Amino acid sequence: MNGAHDMGGMHGFGPVQDEPEDEYFHGEWERRAFALTLACGGLGKWSIDEGRYSRERQPPAQYLANTYYEQWLHGLETLLVEKGLVTEEELRTGKAAGPKPNDVQALPAERVYKALQQGSPYTRPVDHPPGFAVGDRVRVRNDHPPTHTRAPRYVRGRVGTVVLYHGGHVFADASARGERGVADHLYNVAFDSKDLWGIQAQPGDVHLDLWEPYLEPA
Amino acid sequence: MSGSHDHGHDHHDHDHEHPRLSELQLRVRALESLLVEKGLVDPAALDEFIDIYETKVGPRNGARVVARAWTDPAFLDWLRKDASAAIKSFGFEGRQGEHMVVVENTDKVHNLVVCTLCSCYPWPVLGLPPVWYKSSPYRSRAVIDPRGVLADFGTVLPDDVEIKVWDSTAEVRYLVLPQRPAGTETLSEDELADLVTRNSMIGVETVSYPARPAREAAE
C-alpha cells in the first residue's frame, strides 16, 4: 500500500540523531510493548508480514506522529482484535469479558530463549524455476496494490540489475493477507542511484531484495 | 549494556510531567494485565524477552564476528560464502538473523544498511536497533542522500568512494564488515572487537584507531 511507512526518498524529516549503543528502550512501557508483541507473535496467529501490515494500515498522519513502539502497540491491539483473541470492549476496560481462548497456548518463559535462537527461516521451495539470473536487467512493475507489498514506490518502474539470488522465500504480499505457504524467488537488485534520483543522485547504487512477481524483463 | 535500567527509571520518574507517556504507560499496563488474565502471555516470558535483548544480545556479538573476519582469512572466506553459517558458529542465530549477508567495505566501496519500509535489522549480531535507525529521518534519507546521513554522524568519505545502500525489503539481513583501521597490526582479536562500533556495522561510521572519543565517553 502507498502508506506513510514507504518513506524512502522523502524530504523534510530533518537530521539523524545518534544514540548510545546501550540505549534500547525509553521508558518501561516500551519494554513491555516490545515483549508483549513478541510474546503474542509466539501464539502463531499471524505472520511477521501481517504484523507489518497492521502498523502501516494506520492513517498516514497517525503513523507519522507515533513513536516506534506506539506503532507496535497499535499493530498488536489491531491483530489481537482481528484474530478474535480479545474484543474491543476488553481492550477498553482491560478486563477479560469472555473465557480464555482454548486453541492457543502462552509461550512459557523457559521456552523464550530457544524460540528466539530457532527463529523462523523464510526459505521455501518454489514450484517453478527462477525467471531471472544474476546479471539480468529487470524492471520493477509499476504496481500500486492497496495491500501490503515490499516493493517501495521509489523503485517502481525503475530498471536495475540482479546481483544476488537468495532462493525461494515466503512471499510477503501473500503472507500479509494471511495466506500461508506462498513462496517465490527472491533476488537482490542493484539500481544505479542516477536511475532513481536523476541529477540529485550521489555516485553509487541502492540494493533491494525483490520477489519475482515484482519484476519483469527489461 | 548496564545503563539501560537507569534510563528507564529516569523516564518513569518524569511520567507525571508527560501526559502522553502516562497514557501509554497505562494503556500498556492494561493490555498486559488483560492478556495475562486471558492466559495469552506468561508475565515471566515478558521479563525474559526484555532481559535477553537488554543484556545478552547486542552489537558486541557483531563486533566479535568482525574482529574474527579481520584476523582469520578462512573465517572471512566462510563469511563471504555463507554468512549465516559462519555467524552461527559463534552461537549468534535465530530471530531477525535467519538469512545473513555480509557486505564488505573497501577503499573504493562503502556499504550502508537501512530499512525504508519499517525497521528490519540483524538482531542476533546487533541486538535491537537504535531509535534513529527506525526513525523517519534515517529511513527517508539513507537511499537518496547517503552522504548527508553519514555527515550527520561526522563521517566524511573521499569523493571517489562509491556508496552502496542496502534497503532491507525482505527477510535477508545485512551486516557491514567495516575496514580494519591502520596501526592495529599488533592488537588481539578481543582488542580489535572493542574498536568495532554498532554504527560501523550499520555503515554510518568507519572504525577508528584509537577508538572514537564519543564511544569512550559512552562507556
Side-chain angles (χ1 to χ4, degrees), chain A residues 5 9 19 21-22 31-32 52 68 70 77 90 109 116 120 122 150 154 197 202 207 209, chain B residues 4 20 27 32 38 42 47 54 95 98-99 119 139-140 143 145 147 165 167 169 171 174 198:
Chain A
H5 67 288
E19 266 199 325
E21 283 200 5
D22 60 0
R31 289 188 182 85
R32 306 312 283 181
R52 292 188 181 115
Y68 184 73
E70 285 177 88
E77 290 173 342
E90 287 175 323
L116 292 171
S120 44
Y122 297 90
R150 297 293 285 183
Y154 75 90
W197 314 116
Q202 297 166 8
H207 294 244
D209 288 327
Chain B
S4 312
R20 192 174 177 193
R27 182 170 152 203
E32 180 175 336
K38 295 202 74 157
D42 169 4
D47 296 334
E54 274 198 323
R95 191 187 177 98
E98 291 93 345
H99 311 287
S119 54
R139 287 165 54 190
S140 61
V143 288
D145 180 23
R147 282 180 184 268
V165 182
D167 189 356
T169 46
E171 299 303 338
Y174 294 88
R198 171 198 65 202

Side-chain angles (χ1 to χ4, degrees), chain B:
Chain B
M1 297 182 197
S2 56
S4 312
H5 291 283
D6 300 332
H7 294 299
H9 289 299
D10 285 349
H11 285 264
H12 191 83
D13 292 340
H14 294 298
D15 277 1
H16 306 291
E17 298 156 32
H18 299 286
R20 192 174 177 193
L21 202 55
S22 235
E23 191 192 304
L24 282 163
Q25 201 80 264
L26 292 172
R27 182 170 152 203
V28 174
R29 227 173 267 162
L31 180 62
E32 180 175 336
S33 81
L34 170 65
L35 295 175
V36 170
E37 188 188 351
K38 295 202 74 157
L40 293 171
V41 304
D42 169 4
L46 302 179
D47 296 334
E48 180 70 0
F49 277 118
I50 295 164
D51 182 60
I52 288 170
Y53 288 107
E54 274 198 323
T55 67
K56 297 187 174 74
V57 179
R60 294 304 93 212
N61 288 1
R64 287 177 57 199
V65 174
V66 169
R68 179 73 53 83
W70 283 348
T71 53
D72 180 346
F75 181 76
L76 174 61
D77 193 46
W78 191 13
L79 209 50
R80 286 170 175 156
K81 286 181 182 141
D82 187 350
S84 307
I87 289 168
K88 193 175 166 178
S89 70
F90 286 87
F92 310 149
E93 60 180 314
R95 191 187 177 98
Q96 288 297 304
E98 291 93 345
H99 311 287
M100 292 294 306
V101 170
V102 167
V103 289
E104 266 178 85
N105 289 351
T106 68
D107 288 340
K108 295 293 166 211
V109 173
H110 183 89
N111 295 283
L112 179 69
V113 179
V114 64
C115 172
T116 61
L117 295 173
C118 50
S119 54
C120 298
Y121 191 76
W123 290 12
V125 280
L126 295 186
L128 298 180
V131 166
W132 62 259
Y133 183 88
K134 306 176 285 192
S135 72
S136 310
Y138 187 69
R139 287 165 54 190
S140 61
R141 277 172 64 217
V143 288
I144 190 171
D145 180 23
R147 282 180 184 268
V149 166
L150 292 180
D152 288 346
F153 289 86
T155 305
V156 179
L157 300 174
D159 288 343
D160 64 342
V161 174
E162 183 196 15
I163 300 184
K164 288 185 183 292
V165 182
W166 301 80
D167 189 356
S168 316
T169 46
E171 299 303 338
V172 178
R173 297 289 168 267
Y174 294 88
L175 178 72
V176 175
L177 178 59
Q179 281 189 288
R180 180 174 174 164
T184 57
E185 293 75 13
T186 60
L187 297 191
S188 69
E189 195 176 315
D190 286 348
E191 288 168 328
L192 288 169
D194 286 342
L195 299 178
V196 181
T197 61
R198 171 198 65 202
N199 288 357
S200 71
M201 295 180 280
I202 302 171
V204 293
E205 289 173 6
T206 54
V207 177
S208 307
Y209 180 70
R212 285 185 164 219
R215 179 168 157 68
E216 283 164 0
E219 280 176 348

